[in-house]
């Protein structure tokens, strides 16, 4: 069983200083096991000015098992898959400990944005670019931030709600919005074309 | 995965990790791989281990240990014979990296159950309260550790008889095999061990540098707080000190002395007492006799029972 009281305490703790930390966690619905986190792109990195959403899934074994985290916002980073947002970070795997929290994990993701580890990559293509052609990497990462992390951050929940009210199932809506980088019209087109 | 075939369980663990990585690399895109898939594979390996032995096994006569080495090293067989002069039985624990803590949990609770030593219970509760303050002082949020503390104290209370929640020895065995109790208690120990190492970082630093060439902070994060990280002298010293419980470890390895006589090395971890007892007699220079004895084979701990 998921330790609900702990998750509730974590949510409160995390959102208490979200203005300072640039990190927040919200519920996706009524279910405490489905959350999404938000981190702001660190200053003086190609991610500056971006707001990155992270899908968080807590299994029944949490806090013994790490939270499953995946970037919903597309991001160009050696340790994050440019395809599906999967993250390569030790504390989300074997270095996880119940002494850590969702907040510390999100803080680690923020630190990862500041300090990529290209020698332990999740996305080999990005890592290669980072190591061989750093200026192009910075350009691409900045472009992705501009394109995906700024637009998508504007009221995505309202877009979801709007499309759900049109009669589309929520998970499909989220997937479509995610695929098109948060563009409501493109998502609608995608949903209509099935 | 016993030690008669492979000299070191640590090596086995390494090989398992290596196997996982190998299967990932073959013919698959990096980016297609997700953390949870890696975790699943890890969990699958643990499930196979679980089938072999519960977290804490049954009490077995020492002859069961000798049987393991029947076609093995004669030095080890000789040593087990020597061990048999003072020890009657062994209780195995699962080799999942938490074995030291599970050994300690079971031995300690079983000792309290058998001795009904209320003074000891009061004493350890005071130490646990100190541990809590240590963690708070180090900046841990209460909600990260309080559940683990509560669960450990519950177990200590429950092995004392005469309460509504008192449990039998059978129940103690089954709780120690129940993940929802056993893992919480292991995690409690990991918290207090980490707290003690950080609190006395100056003392532990040279040992940690020698062991893993890393900082105290990193060592605690990487080798103490995550479940499944194996325990070394540093962990045992810190746990013994912070809870004030002496631990004896008997070492069963292939080493032999120059004189040719077979003897077994042991080490007593005696807590550094910060608060000396209030009432002291002149003849109170008593030798502390550990009531927890563990058998160490490279990479693994089991519980030993004296005669």
């Amino acid at each position: 069983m998921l330790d609900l009281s702990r998750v509730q305490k974590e949510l409160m703790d995390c959102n208490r200083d979200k203005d300072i930390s640039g990190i927040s966690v919200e519920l996706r619905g009524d279910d405490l096991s489905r959350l999404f986190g938000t981190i702001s792109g660190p200053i003086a990195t190609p991610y500056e000015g971006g707001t990155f959403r992270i899908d968080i899934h807590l299994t029944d074994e949490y806090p013994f098992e790490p939270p499953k985290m995946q970037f919903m916002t597309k991001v160009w980073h050696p340790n994050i898959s440019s395809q599906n947002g999967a993250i390569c970070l030790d504390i989300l795997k074997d270095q996880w400990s119940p002494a850590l929290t969702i907040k510390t994990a999100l803080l680690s993701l923020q630190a990862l944005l500041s300090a990529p580890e290209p020698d332990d990559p999740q996305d080999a293509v990005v890592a290669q670019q980072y190591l061989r052609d750093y200026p192009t990497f910075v350009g691409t990462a900045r472009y992705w931030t501009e394109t995906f992390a700024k637009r998508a951050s504007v009221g995505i929940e309202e877009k979801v709600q709007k499309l759900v009210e049109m009669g589309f199932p929520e998970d499909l809506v989220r997937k479509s919005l995610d695929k098109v980088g948060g563009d409501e019209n493109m998502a609608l087109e995608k949903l209509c074309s099935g | 995965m016993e030690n008669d075939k492979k000299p070191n369980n640590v090596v086995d663990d390494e090989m398992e990790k290596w196997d996982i990585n190998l299967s990932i690399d073959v013919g698959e895109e990096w980016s297609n791989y997700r953390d949870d898939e890696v975790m699943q594979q890890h969990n699958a390996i643990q499930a196979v281990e679980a089938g072999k032995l519960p977290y804490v096994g049954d009490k077995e006569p020492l002859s069961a240990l000798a049987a393991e080495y029947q076609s093995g090293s004669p030095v080890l067989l000789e040593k087990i014979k020597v061990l048999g002069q003072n020890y009657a039985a062994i209780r195995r624990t699962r080799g999942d990296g938490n074995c030291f803590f599970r050994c300690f949990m079971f031995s300690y609770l079983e000792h309290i159950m058998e001795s009904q030593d209320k003074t000891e219970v009061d004493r350890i509760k005071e130490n646990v309260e100190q541990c809590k303050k240590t963690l708070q002082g180090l900046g841990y949020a209460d909600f990260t550790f309080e559940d683990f503390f509560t669960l450990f104290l519950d177990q200590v209370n429950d092995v004392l008889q005469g309460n509504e929640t008192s449990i039998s020895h059978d129940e103690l065995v089954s709780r120690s095999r129940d993940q929802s109790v056993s893992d919480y208690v292991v995690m409690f120990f990991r918290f207090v061990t980490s707290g003690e190492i950080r609190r006395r970082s100056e003392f532990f630093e040279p040992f940690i540098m020698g062991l893993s060439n890393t900082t105290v902070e990193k060592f605690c994060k990487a080798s103490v707080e995550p479940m499944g990280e194996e325990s070394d002298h540093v962990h045992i010293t810190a746990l013994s000190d912070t809870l004030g419980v002496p631990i004896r470890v008997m070492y069963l390895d292939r080493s032999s002395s120059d004189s040719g006589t077979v003897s077994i090395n042991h080490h007593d971890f005696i807590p550094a007492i910060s608060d000396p007892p209030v009432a002291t007699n002149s003849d109170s220079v008593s030798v502390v006799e550990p009531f927890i004895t563990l058998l160490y084979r490279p990479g693994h701990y089991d519980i030993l029972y004296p005669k």
Side-chain angles (χ1 to χ4, degrees):
Chain A
M1 273 300 290
L2 178 62
D3 187 343
L4 296 177
S5 76
R6 164 156 172 161
V7 179
Q8 265 158 349
K9 285 175 199 159
E10 283 204 35
L11 282 171
M12 267 164 55
D13 179 63
C14 192
N15 293 329
R16 209 167 37 206
D17 60 349
K18 59 182 169 188
D19 294 336
I20 304 161
S21 64
I23 278 171
S24 64
V25 183
E26 288 165 66
L27 287 172
R28 289 197 85 142
D30 300 334
D31 183 359
L32 273 175
S33 71
R34 303 291 303 196
L35 312 165
F36 64 81
T38 309
I39 58 177
S40 52
I43 294 162
T45 70
Y47 312 103
E48 181 175 351
T51 303
F52 298 86
R53 287 190 177 267
I54 289 117
D55 177 64
I56 304 170
H57 179 212
L58 305 177
T59 63
D60 283 354
E61 282 74 34
Y62 184 82
F64 281 96
E65 295 269 311
K68 290 172 194 252
M69 292 192 172
Q70 200 164 355
F71 274 81
M72 294 156 76
T73 309
K74 281 171 88 74
V75 55
W76 191 255
H77 186 287
N79 307 101
I80 302 159
S81 165
S82 58
Q83 304 294 312
N84 59 19
I87 303 159
C88 179
L89 183 64
D90 56 359
I91 62 148
L92 293 178
K93 287 181 273 186
D94 57 335
Q95 290 291 286
W96 170 257
S97 159
L100 301 172
T101 62
I102 298 165
K103 183 182 176 180
T104 51
L106 289 173
L107 282 167
S108 298
L109 288 183
Q110 209 176 30
L112 189 66
L113 289 181
S114 293
E117 290 171 29
D119 295 329
D120 186 18
Q122 175 73 34
D123 194 308
V125 176
V126 184
Q128 289 285 350
Q129 193 190 56
Y130 183 95
L131 292 169
R132 288 185 186 164
D133 186 2
Y134 186 71
T136 309
F137 162 78
V138 172
T140 316
R142 194 167 283 149
Y143 177 75
W144 278 46
T145 304
E146 289 297 326
T147 313
F148 304 117
K150 291 196 171 162
R151 212 146 47 104
S153 64
V154 183
I156 192 119
E157 288 312 300
E158 284 133 53
K159 291 176 193 166
V160 169
Q161 204 183 346
K162 220 163 156 186
L163 290 166
V164 168
E165 277 167 11
M166 287 180 192
F168 299 106
E170 189 189 328
D171 53 331
L172 217 60
V173 167
R174 286 191 189 277
K175 261 185 214 152
S176 308
L177 274 169
D178 196 30
K179 275 209 182 102
V180 298
D183 187 301
E184 190 185 319
N185 291 328
M186 279 167 76
L188 182 60
E189 211 170 284
K190 222 177 162 57
L191 286 161
C192 290
S193 64
Chain B
M1 240 189 29
E2 292 299 337
N3 294 296
D4 52 344
K5 296 192 188 84
K6 302 247 173 68
N8 199 326
N9 273 349
V10 181
V11 174
D12 279 356
D13 287 346
E14 284 301 322
M15 287 181 72
E16 283 176 1
K17 281 178 193 156
W18 189 69
D19 281 344
I20 296 168
N21 287 334
L22 193 73
S23 64
I24 287 168
D25 279 346
V26 176
E28 287 283 351
E29 276 279 340
W30 265 98
S31 57
N32 288 347
Y33 261 90
R34 295 172 33 149
D35 297 346
D36 49 344
E37 286 167 350
V38 177
M39 297 284 298
Q40 264 169 23
Q41 257 170 319
H42 186 73
N43 290 346
I45 290 164
Q46 288 202 330
V48 171
E49 278 304 298
K52 289 181 198 160
L53 185 70
Y55 289 144
V56 176
D58 291 326
K59 195 170 174 178
E60 297 172 83
L62 209 62
S63 57
L65 183 64
E68 248 182 69
Y69 295 95
Q70 260 339 307
S71 51
S73 152
V75 179
L76 289 177
L77 281 170
E78 272 305 307
K79 283 193 175 184
I80 293 168
K81 226 179 256 172
V82 175
L83 203 61
Q85 290 165 6
N86 295 312
Y87 295 92
I90 180 174
R91 190 186 290 273
R92 295 170 209 264
T93 59
R94 192 188 296 172
D96 64 356
N98 299 311
C99 55
F100 163 70
F101 291 117
R102 279 195 231 279
C103 282
F104 183 86
M105 162 179 65
F106 191 86
S107 274
Y108 184 78
L109 293 173
E110 192 180 43
H111 168 78
I112 298 298
M113 180 171 265
E114 281 165 4
S115 67
Q116 292 298 304
D117 186 346
K118 292 201 172 63
T119 319
E120 167 60 19
V121 169
D122 290 342
R123 191 200 58 75
I124 202 165
K125 279 182 181 169
E126 267 174 46
N127 283 43
V128 171
E129 195 53 37
Q130 276 304 319
C131 293
K132 198 180 208 168
K133 287 182 183 143
T134 299
L135 290 178
Q136 286 166 336
L138 289 164
Y140 287 76
D142 277 28
F143 67 80
T144 57
F145 61 79
E146 61 194 2
D147 292 353
F148 306 96
F149 274 61
T150 307
L151 205 99
F152 173 71
L153 291 173
D154 285 350
Q155 305 317 307
V156 174
N157 284 328
D158 293 354
V159 292
L160 284 177
Q161 299 304 298
N163 301 321
E164 236 171 73
T165 54
S166 295
I167 58 168
S168 64
H169 190 273
D170 282 352
E171 175 64 16
L172 174 61
V173 171
S174 87
R175 281 190 189 182
S176 66
R177 292 174 180 174
D178 174 357
Q179 191 176 12
S180 67
V181 178
S182 208
D183 278 0
Y184 270 76
V185 174
V186 168
M187 198 52 218
F188 162 76
F189 292 141
R190 289 186 178 278
F191 266 114
V192 299
T193 301
S194 182
E196 180 72 5
I197 294 172
R198 285 170 196 242
R199 187 177 73 83
R200 288 163 59 210
S201 58
E202 271 174 36
F203 170 79
F204 284 107
E205 195 173 23
F207 298 100
I208 288 169
M209 288 297 289
L211 199 65
S212 55
N213 196 25
T214 182
T215 64
V216 169
E217 173 80 11
K218 279 187 182 155
F219 178 80
C220 288
K221 281 235 180 306
S223 306
V224 183
E225 292 180 5
M227 291 291 285
E229 289 294 331
E230 295 185 16
S231 296
D232 217 299
H233 263 73
V234 171
H235 302 73
I236 304 176
T237 305
L239 184 70
S240 170
D241 283 355
T242 197
L243 293 180
V245 178
I247 303 165
R248 173 166 295 167
V249 177
M250 308 294 295
Y251 295 91
L252 184 58
D253 53 29
R254 285 184 173 78
S255 68
S256 50
S257 64
D258 297 336
S259 62
T261 55
V262 173
S263 65
I264 297 181
N265 296 324
H266 79 272
H267 184 78
D268 287 349
F269 293 83
I270 306 295
I273 299 168
S274 47
D275 309 309
V278 183
T280 44
N281 304 324
S282 55
D283 57 0
S284 71
V285 195
S286 59
V287 180
V288 184
E289 191 69 14
F291 52 79
I292 291 177
T293 306
L294 306 182
L295 175 69
Y296 178 78
R297 291 177 280 171
H300 187 68
Y301 295 89
D302 293 302
I303 301 166
L304 273 180
Y305 289 91
K307 278 189 170 166

